[in-house]
Amino acid sequence: MGPILRPKGRRETAALSVFVALQSLAAVFFVGDVFSDLAADADSLHIWFEGVVTLALVLGVLFGIVSLRRTITLIEEQDRALDVARGALADVVERQFTAWGLTPAETDVGLLALKGLDVAEIAALRGAAQGTVRAQLTRIYAKAGVSGRAQFAAYFVEDLMGEGLPLRAA
Amino acid sequence: MAASLWSGRVKPPALWDPVVRLTHWVIAIVVLLNAVLTEGGSTLHVAAGWTGMAMLALRLVWGLVGPGAARFSTFPPAPVQAMRHLAGLVRGRVPEYPSHNPAGAIMAYALWGLLALVTASGLYMTGGATPMQVAADQAAVDSGDWSALVQADDSRADDDGGWKDAAKEVHEVAANVILILVLLHVAGVAVESRALRRNLVAPMLLGSAARGERNRRRAE
């Protein structure tokens, strides 16, 4: 899966890229100008001055390119870390579902419930009757020892807030 | 089995990095502009050429130091693999690659090489004059002062007239080959997009970041 840059990061890197491109354009034009001045035998002071300015510009472009690369790499790494965190949460949820002894059907319904889908939506997605889904949810809450949907979701949010998750049935 | 694992994990970026996108489209505009609209030798033609040269230089540097997918090492020129990829495409097998597919990589290198050739021959034809100088010469000629033109011709007329003709020939042939390759490139993108069932143009424009994010959430 390709890294998907966050909107803010995208704007920053896009702006920086336009800047680097403009600088490159300017640098190529100035380098060309220095060479044609050399060919036309312009006075040495002029060439020296122009040469130094151009060199500074070229170095500036290279510096900009390197820092742009660093920014993009950093954003990609953050996105990857976020993916890992998401995957880790999914892992925790799955392990806990197993520990509670949920059936495969209950696992699916439980995941959809955690994602915030309501009974009607879950029923539509699974091609099941709403009554079936409601019964499955009741069984899930019973196995998890929670009073209802809010507590069920809170069980995993709690884990994100820094408390360890005790594997009760393990 | 290994192939499916491979294709599941390694994909080109959902959105190319901004330097790749910027240089790609500026060069595309320059090529079209100079092939279709501008008059050879005009200030606009030369300025567009210099702009293309700057973008090509930036892209080549970016190919050395840029992030993964933009780097040459991620899509080395491999003619044998390119042929194998095309053969697989005919048989409906479309593996994913972390950057360009091998055939696309060859296309990229061919286009860059030809762009360099067109730029170099163009520079030779104008005696390396910057667009500013071309504009100044043009202004002088327009105002009735032909000395700029005479001076420019004098310096070169005797010793490298033949080379200049050759450069002109190279410039025109390479430019036409670029146009043919551009058509092939567009066709290749269309075919790959169809085979992969994925829009390959979007990652080169603004991407489908919002859609990708939603799909990803749903898939989890």
Side-chain angles (χ1 to χ4, degrees):
Chain A
M1 179 174 311
I4 294 161
L5 304 186
R6 281 169 289 108
K8 187 161 170 281
R10 276 176 69 169
R11 273 200 302 278
E12 273 171 25
T13 53
L16 202 51
S17 303
V18 171
F19 191 63
V20 165
L22 283 175
Q23 270 190 322
S24 312
L25 196 60
V28 165
F29 275 57
F30 275 105
V31 169
D33 205 41
V34 167
F35 276 110
S36 58
D37 276 359
L38 272 176
D41 265 349
D43 60 292
S44 63
L45 191 66
H46 175 81
I47 287 190
W48 266 105
F49 187 71
E50 212 174 68
V52 169
V53 170
T54 305
L55 188 66
L57 185 58
V58 170
L59 289 178
V61 176
L62 291 178
F63 182 75
I65 287 174
V66 168
S67 84
L68 179 59
R69 196 271 307 268
R70 202 168 295 157
T71 309
I72 289 177
T73 311
L74 192 70
I75 291 174
E76 282 177 357
E77 271 166 14
Q78 285 174 349
D79 280 355
R80 219 167 296 139
L82 202 62
D83 272 349
V84 170
R86 278 194 191 121
L89 180 60
D91 241 30
V92 168
V93 170
E94 214 175 295
R95 245 182 296 145
Q96 192 58 47
F97 278 14
T98 313
W100 282 334
L102 300 194
T103 65
E106 285 166 357
T107 300
D108 288 353
V109 171
L111 281 175
L112 292 172
L114 275 186
K115 287 186 175 211
L117 274 65
D118 63 27
V119 173
E121 285 171 322
I122 296 174
L125 264 178
R126 292 183 48 79
Q130 293 198 19
T132 313
V133 172
R134 219 166 273 127
Q136 282 168 325
L137 281 174
T138 310
R139 274 202 301 278
I140 293 168
Y141 300 153
K143 284 180 180 175
V146 296
S147 65
R149 194 190 193 106
Q151 235 183 53
F152 180 57
Y155 191 95
F156 294 100
V157 173
E158 196 184 41
D159 188 48
L160 281 179
M161 291 176 143
E163 286 293 324
L165 193 67
L167 284 173
R168 278 171 209 157
Chain B
M1 197 63 209
S4 71
L5 272 178
W6 177 257
S7 64
R9 229 172 270 170
V10 190
K11 276 188 185 180
L15 180 66
W16 290 93
D17 73 64
V19 173
V20 170
R21 283 180 287 148
L22 200 64
T23 52
H24 174 269
W25 291 114
V26 173
I27 288 176
I29 290 169
V30 162
V31 165
L32 286 182
L33 204 66
N34 272 6
V36 182
L37 287 180
T38 66
E39 195 182 326
S42 69
T43 305
L44 187 60
H45 187 91
V46 174
W50 277 70
T51 306
M53 174 164 70
M55 292 304 107
L56 180 62
L58 174 58
R59 181 61 185 92
L60 295 183
V61 172
W62 198 240
L64 293 175
V65 305
R71 230 180 277 191
F72 300 136
S73 54
T74 318
F75 56 103
V80 177
Q81 263 190 291
M83 295 312 292
R84 207 174 292 155
H85 177 81
L86 290 180
L89 198 62
V90 172
R91 275 184 267 117
R93 251 179 0 94
V94 276
E96 296 266 17
Y97 294 89
S99 182
H100 302 284
N101 69 58
I106 297 284
M107 175 61 80
Y109 289 115
L111 280 169
W112 288 334
L114 283 164
L115 283 168
L117 198 60
V118 168
T119 309
S121 56
L123 280 175
Y124 190 79
M125 285 161 72
T126 55
T130 61
M132 292 83 88
Q133 287 168 322
V134 173
D137 288 353
Q138 190 60 47
V141 171
D142 285 347
S143 69
D145 172 15
W146 290 71
S147 62
L149 214 58
V150 172
Q151 196 185 11
D153 273 351
D154 263 2
S155 58
R156 245 162 266 120
D158 12 302
D159 50 337
D160 49 19
W163 284 110
K164 238 184 150 178
D165 283 344
K168 192 165 183 263
E169 199 66 31
V170 168
H171 195 70
E172 281 168 9
V173 170
N176 286 329
V177 176
I178 285 180
L179 288 181
I180 294 168
L181 287 193
V182 165
L183 286 179
L184 270 177
H185 168 52
V186 172
V189 169
V191 169
E192 286 273 336
S193 290
R194 241 185 108 93
L196 291 167
R197 285 157 215 249
R198 193 152 54 79
N199 182 356
L200 289 182
V201 183
M204 195 48 100
L205 284 165
L206 294 169
S208 48
R211 194 152 26 106
E213 184 71 18
R214 230 179 300 131
N215 287 343
R216 182 162 61 169
R217 260 195 226 129
R218 198 161 291 162
E220 267 162 20

